[in-house]
Amino acid sequence: MDNLFSSGFIFGHMNYWLFVVLMMTGLYIVVSRGNLLKKVVGLNLFQAAVFMLYISMGKVAGGTAPILTGNPDEVYSNPLPHVLILTAIVVGIATTSLGLALIVRINESYGTIEEDEVLALDQQQERDELAALEEEVLKSK
Amino acid sequence: MSALVNHSLILVVLIPLLAAPLCMLFGNRAVAFWISFFASLFALILSLHLLLMVIDGDVLSYHLGGWAPPLGIEYRVDAANALVLLIVSAISTVVLPYARVSIKDEIAEHHHTLFFACYMLCFTGLLGVAITGDAFNVFVFLEISSLSTYVLVALGANKDKRALSAAYDYLILGTIGATFFVIGLGLIYMSTGTLNMVDLSQRLAPLEDNKTVRTAFAFIVIGMGLKIAIYPLHRWLPGAYTYAPSAISAFLAATATKVAIYVVLRFMFSVFSAKFGFELDTVRLIFFPFAIIAMFAASLIAVYQVNLKRLLAYSSIAQIGYMLLGVALFSSAGLTATMAHLFNHAITKGAMFMAVGAIIMRIGSPLLPKMAGLGRQMPWTSAAIVLGGLSLIGVPGTAGFVSKWLLLTAAFQQGYWFIALLIVASSLLAVIYVWKCVETLYLTPSTSNVAVAEAPLSLLVPTYVLVIATIWFGLDASTITVASQTAAESLIGGGYGGEATVMGVEGRK
């Protein structure tokens, strides 16, 4: 247990600690905020944290950018996780833009982007439908 | 011709992928339909061909660009994913002609080409997830299919604005799921340095006690659990299925969750080893209880639904419980039941959602009380719902019976008679909600005096293709059982990682 609190464990893994903090902050915002826009911001933060995880993973101590220089002893970072995360960044952008587009449409149809108000309007519509249904049944009798 | 066969593993994904931009370029609704229909039919023929090639337990491998794995990306097909490919492409081919007619009422005219383009992208994504042998590729294809699914669900907003909030919920939860999955992939890449599934399984084998590997497994299972809609993670499902356009409800209910279940199976058995103790714990402590809760709770909620589409959505969650139960039994027989149920539930639910869509097109509402007495006015459509319902319950002679029988046998084989009892008991709940539909359709007098015409043939024919398939595979159980058995053997016996026939180009290192 002693190495758990050593400075190496804390500072040596700084990237990963930040990843965890950022990821949990993002996830917390998604869960706790009622504003649909803020949820998307939280989701973005959550995804950005994962980008950090992948980028840290590819880092080789003392390594440079992975470009062929002709020097066989050149130490360079692992480019693969970086390439992988480029894909994930594109996916993140697509998700964000789609989420924002949906929010615009929700605002147009519901007139609000607060989750509880949207939910209340949904439930209201459901109640209205059922009331109309009952009326119809009564009328036919 | 031989080139077509040699490259069939990549073509099955490539043709639908190319069809999507083509739909957009032509910009004509009829042309877009035919392009997507032929792309889908082509994928169906290829996946049928692939299934026939691997049904004896062979494994096919395709090296993208001729670059040999593990460095290059590999597509790898065994009986398990060939069966999933067949499910996805068959359902898509049947749903497309239905969609051509059903979206006329539901989606604005100028969005129709977009609809087909998105549909093709979703289709590509689902096929890609199933066929690929590269772990990161799974994530990429998963996001292709998910993003287009969010759009397709949101297209239902033309009729009911609640589709928007449903699509938004799905987007948030789906993205959290996919991000968890990608964290898991990152962690296994960290501990092994590879992403090829076969290579991963070899390098992960000695790492059972590695904490990073265990964490990765947890992230992957929870991430995919959100996509599968395992019971407590199912919040997005009822809304998305209820408010999506009818054709999309049918397509999603029949394919999307099935593909996610396949991914979990692939990771549990082919990437991580079934010998890992933590995997057994996961199955015993998480899958078992939640599968059983899903079977009962979701069926019970379904009983109280007024909206028929929502009722079917909750029934789907319950049926996912049966599939997970097969996994939880952790045996070859259990997996056979799961694979068979993937197929049988896909055709059953597909048929039912399509029949409900036909009713909605005629009466304009998915609410059950409005359907009172429709059995007389829409006899064929109502009969399709009843036949599908019988398969959901598991009445002998329908496809649902075959997979439930396999599941019961698997439970008895391990001496879990109590589980078998629970399976039967939960089927009784299915009897209640199916009876509710039958009662409304046939026994309740109609409340309105407006005459309702039978659904047009263009909707009835695709629906009945699946209804007849439901009965066909109920009477001839051997075909699908053999395929499922081979699939289960390949998963649990590690056949996936064994010798593979290399198709297409090879040689570049």
Side-chain angles (χ1 to χ4, degrees):
Chain A
M1 280 306 271
D2 55 348
N3 67 343
L4 212 60
F5 297 101
S6 68
S7 62
F9 187 69
I10 295 171
F11 294 106
H13 296 86
M14 196 47 129
N15 293 356
Y16 297 99
W17 289 116
L18 288 177
F19 152 68
V20 172
V21 170
L22 203 57
M23 173 181 140
M24 292 326 287
T25 314
L27 198 57
Y28 178 75
I29 295 173
V30 176
V31 177
S32 67
R33 293 296 114 167
N35 187 306
L36 299 184
L37 204 60
K38 287 181 184 166
K39 269 179 189 287
V40 170
V41 173
L43 204 62
N44 243 314
L45 210 55
F46 179 52
Q47 288 180 315
V50 182
F51 305 160
M52 258 180 68
L53 171 74
Y54 269 77
I55 293 166
S56 314
M57 205 191 293
K59 176 70 184 163
V60 174
T64 64
I67 300 168
L68 276 179
T69 54
N71 175 13
D73 298 328
E74 188 78 63
V75 178
Y76 56 87
S77 292
N78 182 358
L80 185 70
H82 298 176
V83 176
L84 291 180
I85 218 57
L86 270 180
T87 318
I89 289 172
V90 174
V91 169
I93 291 169
T95 313
T96 310
S97 53
L98 184 58
L100 293 177
L102 279 174
I103 293 173
V104 170
R105 290 289 311 276
I106 287 175
N107 192 33
E108 282 170 6
S109 314
Y110 289 82
T112 174
I113 56 165
E114 290 295 328
E115 194 183 32
D116 41 357
E117 288 172 27
V118 170
L119 202 66
L121 283 169
D122 275 354
Q123 283 163 348
Q124 184 59 44
Q125 194 177 343
E126 218 152 287
R127 275 197 297 274
D128 290 348
E129 271 173 8
L130 289 181
L133 214 62
E134 260 162 45
E135 216 167 88
E136 210 172 286
V137 173
L138 279 178
K139 224 185 266 171
S140 72
K141 278 179 186 166
Chain B
M1 196 59 202
S2 71
L4 195 67
V5 173
N6 274 338
H7 295 277
S8 52
L9 272 80
I10 184 77
L11 284 177
V12 79
V13 181
L14 206 58
I15 297 289
L17 182 64
L18 287 176
L22 279 182
C23 288
M24 288 303 297
L25 282 177
F26 282 102
N28 176 309
R29 132 174 237 289
V31 178
F33 163 73
W34 285 110
I35 290 175
S36 13
F37 180 71
F38 279 116
S40 180
L41 192 66
F42 188 73
L44 172 63
I45 294 167
L46 283 183
S47 30
L48 201 61
H49 179 76
L50 286 174
L51 182 64
L52 291 176
M53 280 174 87
V54 296
I55 194 112
D56 301 323
D58 292 342
V59 179
L60 303 176
S61 163
Y62 183 88
H63 303 164
L64 258 67
W67 297 97
L71 287 182
I73 290 174
E74 180 190 20
Y75 282 5
R76 206 174 174 90
V77 171
D78 67 349
N81 50 8
L83 188 62
V84 176
L85 287 174
L86 180 71
I87 295 174
V88 174
S89 52
I91 296 288
S92 163
T93 313
V94 176
V95 167
L96 267 170
Y98 178 95
R100 188 177 71 98
V101 182
S102 77
I103 58 171
K104 276 181 194 160
D105 273 13
E106 292 173 314
I107 300 170
E109 184 86 33
H110 59 282
H111 283 153
H112 284 184
T113 43
L114 278 171
F115 170 88
F116 285 115
C118 268
Y119 186 101
M120 275 296 111
L121 281 179
C122 182
F123 182 50
T124 310
L126 294 172
L127 290 173
V129 169
I131 205 169
T132 186
D134 182 275
F136 200 80
N137 236 246
V138 173
F139 166 72
V140 175
F141 278 119
L142 195 72
E143 282 305 77
I144 292 178
S145 77
S146 300
L147 283 166
S148 41
T149 308
Y150 309 145
V151 176
L152 288 170
V153 170
L155 278 175
N158 211 25
K159 264 200 125 178
D160 194 327
K161 67 176 186 206
R162 282 172 289 186
L164 292 171
S165 52
Y168 182 86
D169 280 350
Y170 190 8
L171 179 127
I172 295 286
L173 289 172
T175 308
I176 291 176
T179 313
F180 267 40
F181 182 70
V182 92
I183 294 172
L185 291 184
L187 294 176
I188 49 174
Y189 178 74
M190 268 167 123
S191 39
T192 60
T194 182
L195 285 167
N196 180 282
M197 287 185 186
V198 177
D199 202 28
L200 269 174
S201 70
Q202 285 159 3
R203 297 197 192 195
L204 281 173
L207 292 176
E208 185 187 342
D209 293 324
N210 187 313
K211 276 185 190 145
T212 314
V213 171
R214 288 180 174 214
T215 318
F217 182 74
F219 270 116
I220 288 171
V221 168
I222 300 298
M224 290 318 293
L226 266 163
K227 296 267 179 191
I228 297 177
I230 294 180
Y231 179 68
L233 308 173
H234 69 280
R235 214 189 82 91
W236 58 268
L237 190 145
Y241 285 12
T242 310
Y243 302 116
S246 304
I248 293 308
S249 303
F251 183 60
L252 286 186
T255 58
T257 48
K258 314 288 180 292
V259 170
I261 289 180
Y262 158 77
V263 175
V264 166
L265 289 178
R266 181 59 82 211
F267 271 85
M268 280 183 78
F269 296 101
S270 299
V271 176
F272 294 88
S273 162
K275 294 183 196 85
F276 287 177
F278 63 81
E279 216 165 272
L280 196 65
D281 290 345
T282 310
V283 153
R284 288 271 182 277
L285 300 174
I286 297 176
F287 281 16
F288 240 124
F290 283 127
I292 290 166
I293 295 174
M295 278 154 45
F296 282 92
S299 298
L300 207 61
I301 299 171
V303 170
Y304 291 101
Q305 294 308 314
V306 184
N307 186 321
L308 186 47
K309 274 179 112 176
R310 195 178 278 269
L311 185 154
L312 290 180
Y314 276 108
S315 141
S316 272
I317 298 169
Q319 300 285 329
I320 288 164
Y322 293 116
M323 296 170 208
L324 280 181
L325 195 63
V327 185
L329 290 172
F330 218 64
S331 68
S332 174
L335 280 182
T336 308
T338 302
M339 293 308 293
H341 203 49
L342 288 186
F343 183 85
N344 291 338
H345 180 246
I347 51 179
T348 307
K349 257 304 148 47
M352 289 192 82
F353 267 114
M354 278 154 80
V356 174
I359 292 186
I360 295 172
M361 186 180 170
R362 281 295 185 234
I363 67 168
S365 163
L367 299 179
L368 261 174
K370 290 225 177 195
M371 297 175 192
L374 270 186
R376 214 158 284 133
Q377 290 164 305
M378 299 178 78
W380 287 97
T381 318
S382 308
I385 291 181
V386 174
L387 288 171
L390 291 179
S391 178
L392 280 185
I393 299 168
V395 174
T398 59
F401 172 74
V402 176
S403 33
K404 264 190 193 159
W405 181 257
L406 288 170
L407 194 59
L408 283 172
T409 335
F412 273 121
Q413 222 174 52
Q414 296 186 25
Y416 293 147
W417 57 269
F418 187 67
I419 300 290
L421 219 62
L422 288 175
I423 296 170
V424 176
S426 65
S427 299
L428 291 178
L429 284 172
V431 174
I432 301 178
Y433 62 71
V434 170
W435 175 250
K436 202 173 143 181
C437 302
V438 175
E439 194 188 10
T440 317
L441 287 170
Y442 289 98
L443 303 177
T444 318
S446 174
T447 48
S448 71
N449 304 319
V450 189
V452 182
E454 177 58 271
L457 266 185
S458 45
L459 295 189
L460 272 182
V461 170
T463 311
Y464 266 86
V465 169
L466 289 186
V467 170
I468 291 167
T470 309
I471 295 172
W472 177 276
F473 288 108
L475 297 175
D476 169 37
S478 60
T479 322
I480 212 65
T481 313
V482 168
S484 311
Q485 242 155 12
T486 324
E489 286 302 327
S490 179
L491 282 168
I492 212 161
Y496 185 71
E499 280 294 301
T501 321
V502 179
M503 312 275 286
V505 203
E506 62 177 318
R508 262 189 266 185
K509 295 275 178 197

